Amino acid sequence: MGIPGERRMWPLYAAGFTTAFGAHAVAANLGGFSDDAVKSLLTLGFLLALYDGAEVVLKPVFGTIADRIGARPVLLAGLVGFAVASGVYVAADSTGWLWVARLGQGAAASAFSPAASALVARLNPAATHGRAFGSYGFYKSIGYTLGPLLGGALVWLGGFRLLFAVMTVLGLVVAGWVLLAVPAVPPLPRTRQTVVDLARRITDPLFLRPTAALAGATAALSVGVGFLPVTGAAAGLGTVATGAAVSVLALTAALVQPRTGRALDAGRITTRGGLAIGLLLAAAGLGCATLPGIIGVLLAAILIGTGTGLITPLGFAALAASTSPDRLGQTMGTAELGRELGDAGGPLLVAAIATTTALTYGYAALAVLLAALPLLALTTARLRKP
């Protein structure tokens, strides 16, 4: 049996694909060999940080706005904003405007990403949240997987101007699709919330532990994508082999998520157990990254991808199950903030340790950190009954 109202879910899947594609298609090609590629490492670093930095600051804000005025208007505004920001670079076609466009894309994604997650929860009954978030995560992972490949092809054909033109069209098409197919979901009456109430909610184990697991999974994924090619190159592997390993990681994460969601809805896996297993698998993958040669790289990619694929739908389903519907946007936005911190913190931790010792010690440190997180999860009551 499919997800009820599957047709109205497709635009939400497309929105998830758009934010992932927008993040990786540009980031993977900023330092490439096209005429308009960025040549300074410092400039490259700041440009990479713009998109994620905007998301870190704005996702909780837009999530709260989605609760106040409805998630659909925020989703539409974010997608149109993404198209406008992309179109700015198409019209200007200059490096200076690349900064403006990238910041605008990140701000727009900060709006439509938590709004889409909130709508996934609102438009599906709790009994199918696992499936719904598994499918949403699948298409988002496809965006991460195809972004560098398709983005590279577009940059090769027509530079960044062509890539940003395609993203302009993509944002507008998905916005039109949302307008036609996604029903209006009115905001729910909300009780007054103080700063103390918000602090209590985000430090509640029902929120904190799934969010910590999501952050850990994102940290492992980001480290795998960024550093496995370095490990492969040090072992004498070519760019084709290391690129294939990264693709295996992303594809594994994509394929595991829908299966995990179906298993959760069918009661074959619990949230608590699944999160713990996912974190341990990701930790094991980082441990395998310390092994020499292609075997270590491939095992790392498969295990990190599997762990990430388990954690993502389980984490978001747990958050949806433990949140009142009138606060879904705020919860999803704040949880996305946790993921962004993991996305940045994981590579920073590994890089800092690798700089003073060796990359294998960086992998090991993050592996130990991830393996410790299930100890917290195992001390809690079940977030969802089997």
Side-chain angles (χ1 to χ4, degrees), residues 19 78 82 91 99 122 150 165 172-173 228 279 301 314 331 339 360:
T19 183
F82 184 86
W99 292 80
R122 287 287 304 275
L150 294 181
L172 292 175
V173 168
L228 284 181
L279 287 166
L314 294 178
T331 295
R339 294 186 77 195
T360 54

Side-chain angles (χ1 to χ4, degrees), residues 24-45 47-48 98 152 155 160 163:
H24 279 204
V26 177
N29 294 286
L30 281 172
F33 300 99
S34 66
D35 292 338
D36 44 3
V38 177
K39 305 303 181 185
S40 165
L41 289 178
L42 182 61
T43 302
L44 175 61
L47 274 171
L48 289 172
L98 180 59
V155 170
F160 277 112
L163 173 57

Side-chain angles (χ1 to χ4, degrees), residues 198-286:
L198 175 60
R200 188 179 296 118
R201 282 182 57 230
I202 64 177
T203 55
D204 189 313
L206 293 177
F207 172 85
L208 193 58
R209 282 161 183 151
T211 302
L214 288 166
T218 308
L221 181 66
S222 183
V223 166
V225 171
F227 288 97
L228 284 181
V230 177
T231 298
L237 303 177
T239 55
V240 173
T242 55
V246 171
S247 296
V248 166
L249 190 160
L251 186 59
T252 301
L255 294 175
V256 168
Q257 288 189 60
R259 290 166 173 78
T260 300
R262 288 195 293 269
L264 177 65
D265 291 338
R268 296 194 300 271
I269 188 173
T270 64
T271 301
R272 182 179 64 173
L275 291 177
I277 292 169
L279 287 166
L280 291 174
L281 285 172
L286 290 165

